[in-house]
């Protein structure tokens, strides 16, 4: 299964979400292709310093991440696209009906993932924890989808 996380600049939330799911997938032998992109990303920009620091505290390294502007190929190749906000979902959904959800919506919750961009390390920690907490539920749903596909 190919999963794409999308945020605005692809330097904070979507790379953190992709890294958290990658860790969960590795820990649980889930066969996933995971990537992230931004709606207004500057290709090649590094993850923000505070995003890197917040993830290191979770024992996840995103220091090699480089931002990527979402492309039509990304949308076509993804089996599931998870956005950080309802606004991002509204932009992408016409291009990929039935496979775009907000991360919270997919996990059975509501609301947007808060944007720590420009904030201090504590704001990034809070967003990283918010992403981790919702990702546990999202990963269970993804595992169920994989099991359904295999049966």
């Amino acid at each position: 299964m190919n999963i794409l996380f999308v945020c605005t600049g692809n330097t904070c939330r979507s790379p953190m979400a992709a890294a958290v799911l990658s860790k969960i997938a590795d820990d649980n032998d889930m066969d996933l292709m995971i990537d992230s992109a931004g709606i207004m990303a500057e290709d090649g920009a590094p993850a923000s310093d505070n995003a890197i620091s917040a993830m290191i505290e979770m024992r996840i390294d995103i220091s090699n991440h480089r931002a990527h502007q979402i492309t039509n190929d990304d949308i076509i190749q993804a089996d599931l696209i998870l956005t950080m906000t309802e606004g991002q979902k509204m932009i992408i959904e016409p291009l990929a009906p039935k496979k775009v959800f907000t991360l919270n919506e997919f996990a059975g919750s509501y609301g947007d993932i808060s944007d720590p961009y420009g904030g201090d390390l504590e704001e990034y920690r809070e967003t990283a924890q918010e992403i981790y907490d919702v990702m546990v539920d999202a990963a269970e749903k993804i595992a169920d989808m994989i099991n359904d596909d295999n049966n």
Side-chain angles (χ1 to χ4, degrees):
M1 175 176 265
N2 188 339
I3 300 172
L4 179 67
F5 290 96
V6 177
C7 68
T8 304
N10 193 222
T11 60
C12 306
R13 293 172 292 176
S14 59
M16 289 194 293
V20 168
L21 182 58
S22 291
K23 171 123 177 61
I24 291 170
D26 288 347
D27 291 348
N28 293 282
D29 295 322
M30 296 169 68
D31 186 20
L32 301 175
M33 300 270 302
I34 303 166
D35 203 356
S36 67
I39 289 175
M40 299 187 326
E42 179 184 328
D43 279 325
S48 70
D49 290 342
N50 284 338
I52 292 169
S53 296
M55 296 309 294
I56 285 173
E57 291 176 5
M58 293 182 149
R59 294 183 167 85
I60 299 172
D61 184 5
I62 63 168
S63 61
N64 290 327
H65 171 78
R66 294 296 175 260
H68 166 74
Q69 175 75 29
I70 193 168
T71 65
N72 284 334
D73 283 345
D74 294 330
I75 293 168
I76 291 166
Q77 292 173 7
D79 298 307
L80 176 64
I81 300 171
L82 298 174
T83 67
M84 301 297 114
T85 70
E86 186 67 33
Q88 294 155 357
K89 175 187 171 185
M90 289 172 58
I91 291 168
I92 298 169
E93 193 169 35
L95 305 172
K98 300 182 182 172
K99 67 178 181 179
V100 182
F101 305 87
T102 69
L103 176 55
N104 277 326
E105 171 190 23
F106 183 78
S109 189
Y110 59 92
D112 293 343
I113 299 294
S114 58
D115 189 355
Y117 183 76
D120 62 18
L121 180 56
E122 185 56 33
E123 288 179 68
Y124 279 82
R125 286 179 181 132
E126 289 171 8
T127 299
Q129 190 62 53
E130 179 183 2
I131 289 169
Y132 182 85
D133 291 345
V134 74
M135 196 64 70
V136 171
D137 293 331
E140 285 182 27
K141 189 169 180 181
I142 291 166
D144 289 344
M145 291 171 69
I146 293 169
N147 289 336
D148 288 347
D149 286 348
N150 290 337
N151 291 331

